[in-house]
Amino acid sequence: RSLRYYPYELKFNGVSSSQSMTTEVRIFAMKSKNFQIVSHKFLEEETAEYFDVKFRKATKAEIEQNPGSASGWIAFVTLKVGLPVGRIEQKLQLKTNLGDKVQIDIGIKGRVVSDVTFFGRNVDSARSILKLHGVSRAKGMLTKLNVLVKGTPERRERIKLKVIRVEPADVLKVSLSKGEDRKKVRMHLLTLEI
């Protein structure tokens, strides 16, 4: 094998659509001291505009840390702000100067999540669904959910949560706390009473 690279697949899990994230791939040539990456392409055209890649030559120390390597490059792959919420399925193809058959295909997978997430007992966070089972008319039910707002401090400040409408209003009471900043998130408490 003339090339070695790692990781074979990049993962961008749980990144917010309002945040960018960068990770790296290390690529080493086993024999060629003149190894070059001559072109690159993100193969999934629908989402290609949300990705970027920059390269730098591997340092002597990085090459020495990979026994048998003669030269290398570090690729910095960035997921840009704005990719819609959902699964990430992309592939980065790199072509080299080591001949027509020496190209690298790096899988890029993950999930972009909303800036606003609900979690708590009986909540399916992936689908933002609260499951209420066996509510007695006589006893009713009280449940509390956490509402997490992510993003930069400026973005969290711009996101304003409020209860607009409750249906059916004669059966359901809903209240939402003002919110409390905690490290990189703002936490709200949503209370539902039946």
Side-chain angles (χ1 to χ4, degrees):
R1 250 176 116 166
S2 59
L3 285 177
R4 179 172 52 210
Y5 65 96
Y6 60 90
Y8 294 109
E9 184 175 87
L10 300 177
K11 300 211 185 275
F12 291 98
N13 282 319
V15 66
S16 165
S17 62
S18 68
Q19 296 173 313
S20 67
M21 182 179 207
T22 301
T23 190
E24 65 182 52
V25 179
R26 294 172 175 252
I27 309 150
F28 296 95
M30 301 299 102
K31 297 175 185 169
S32 174
K33 289 191 179 280
N34 297 315
F35 162 55
Q36 299 287 321
I37 295 170
V38 295
S39 70
H40 70 276
K41 181 177 183 180
F42 290 100
L43 299 180
E44 298 299 324
E45 290 181 16
E46 281 184 31
T47 60
E49 69 182 286
Y50 295 103
F51 292 89
D52 189 30
V53 63
K54 295 195 180 333
F55 302 94
R56 75 160 169 81
K57 280 192 163 201
T59 64
K60 183 178 178 185
E62 289 167 333
I63 294 167
E64 289 171 354
Q65 289 171 356
N66 290 276
S69 298
S71 61
W73 287 86
I74 312 297
F76 297 93
V77 179
T78 299
L79 172 63
K80 298 179 188 177
V81 170
L83 187 63
V85 171
R87 282 183 30 187
I88 299 170
E89 292 280 341
Q90 183 56 266
K91 191 171 278 192
L92 172 61
Q93 184 175 80
L94 305 176
K95 294 197 176 178
T96 73
N97 66 338
L98 301 179
D100 291 340
K101 296 186 179 181
V102 184
Q103 73 179 29
I104 301 167
D105 290 335
I106 301 162
I108 302 172
K109 296 188 185 266
R111 179 165 294 283
V112 176
V113 297
S114 172
D115 284 336
V116 180
T117 307
F118 295 85
F119 66 95
R121 195 169 154 212
N122 298 322
V123 173
D124 179 344
S125 295
R127 299 185 324 177
S128 295
I129 295 175
L130 170 64
K131 298 176 184 177
L132 301 175
H133 303 284
V135 178
S136 163
R137 280 185 189 226
K139 291 183 181 178
M141 175 185 272
L142 177 71
T143 190
K144 296 181 180 193
L145 308 175
N146 293 300
V147 183
L148 199 67
V149 179
K150 297 184 239 174
T152 64
E154 297 80 21
R155 175 116 173 121
R156 291 193 309 264
E157 193 60 39
R158 284 193 314 265
I159 295 175
K160 303 292 183 198
L161 301 180
K162 65 180 179 178
V163 176
I164 295 173
R165 183 175 69 234
V166 177
E167 290 183 26
D170 60 330
V171 176
L172 185 60
K173 293 178 186 167
V174 179
S175 64
L176 180 67
S177 72
K178 183 179 176 189
E180 177 183 321
D181 285 325
R182 298 182 182 175
K183 293 188 182 180
K184 297 183 178 183
V185 298
R186 177 172 289 159
M187 185 79 73
H188 295 266
L189 185 64
L190 181 67
T191 304
L192 297 111
E193 188 176 354
I194 298 174

